[in-house]
Amino acid sequence: MTAMAQEPVVTNEETLLNGFFALETPEGFKAELIEGEIVVTPPPDNNHERFFSRIVKQVLTRSCTDMDVSGNKGIVLSPGGLYPKNYVIPDATFVPSDADLFGLPGNWIPSDAVALVVEVTSSKPYRDRVIKRDAYARANIPLYLLVDREKSTVTLFSEPVDGDYQTIRTVPIGKPIALPDPFSFDLDTSDFL
């Protein structure tokens, strides 16, 4: 009796990951893999980009640490909760310039040197408020800034420990919010109005 060659076992997770990487999105759209769900997001509206632009401008001119920023850089978040990894594209990713993460080959960077991620809510704010927040905390992203357009608030999540942020500070849009080290300045949200 001869042994039958066995087909390699492909898990649902591998199938999902392969499908995610093979996905072709229309120009301007972004695709993310978050907690086992492929999420495709349309291009942001002008109001969304206004928040993005004002945050980036302040961080790049006022931060005490020289920062690189990307508004379209994918981050591999590990561990990924129910799934080993999440592949997210924050609205803004800030990395100390000396880390040179944006000089790495490929489309995705590791999360270990990321200093701050920023999300501006869009049509599905729950994803930014809860799902991404949890994923960023589990990956030990030190600072997560959430601009919640529906609630007219800005929230800074910091000090990730055991998969959750220990410090949460929320201010109404229009009030300053302190960005700790390595930024060390008060983000002025009055120009968000």
Side-chain angles (χ1 to χ4, degrees):
M1 182 185 227
T2 58
M4 301 272 300
Q6 291 189 0
E7 292 287 319
V9 177
V10 177
T11 64
N12 286 341
E13 182 182 313
E14 287 175 293
T15 302
L16 180 65
L17 196 56
N18 291 337
F20 172 68
F21 284 123
L23 189 64
E24 293 184 28
T25 56
E27 187 174 335
F29 284 67
K30 67 180 181 182
E32 301 172 289
L33 180 60
I34 307 170
E35 293 300 302
E37 179 185 0
I38 295 175
V39 178
V40 178
T41 309
D45 62 29
N46 289 335
N47 181 264
H48 180 283
E49 290 301 277
R50 188 172 112 251
F51 287 105
F52 167 82
S53 175
R54 302 227 165 119
I55 291 168
V56 168
K57 194 180 306 180
Q58 285 188 56
V59 171
L60 293 181
T61 60
R62 300 178 65 200
S63 175
C64 71
T65 302
D66 190 29
M67 290 286 164
D68 288 335
V69 62
S70 176
N72 213 10
K73 180 48 69 185
I75 304 174
V76 180
L77 302 179
S78 298
L82 299 176
Y83 296 85
K85 294 180 181 174
N86 286 307
Y87 294 81
V88 299
I89 303 172
D91 291 325
T93 302
F94 291 93
V95 176
S97 296
D98 60 5
D100 198 28
L101 280 189
F102 299 148
L104 296 175
N107 297 324
W108 300 90
I109 61 171
S111 61
D112 51 355
V114 172
L116 169 70
V117 291
V118 177
E119 297 285 1
V120 178
T121 58
S122 43
S123 60
K124 299 202 175 168
Y126 180 80
R127 192 171 291 125
D128 295 325
R129 290 177 189 150
V130 178
I131 298 171
K132 282 190 169 182
R133 174 205 165 193
D134 292 347
Y136 293 144
R138 285 192 307 271
N140 290 313
I141 301 283
L143 299 170
Y144 170 37
L145 186 72
L146 174 65
V147 177
D148 194 319
R149 297 189 291 172
E150 187 177 274
K151 293 182 177 182
S152 296
T153 59
V154 178
T155 301
L156 181 67
F157 300 92
S158 60
E159 300 177 43
V161 175
D162 296 328
D164 196 11
Y165 285 108
Q166 302 304 297
T167 303
I168 301 167
R169 172 126 196 261
T170 302
V171 298
I173 289 178
K175 299 289 184 187
I177 190 161
L179 295 182
D181 240 7
F183 302 94
S184 302
F185 76 94
D186 288 350
L187 182 72
D188 179 8
T189 69
S190 64
D191 67 349
F192 293 8
L193 299 171

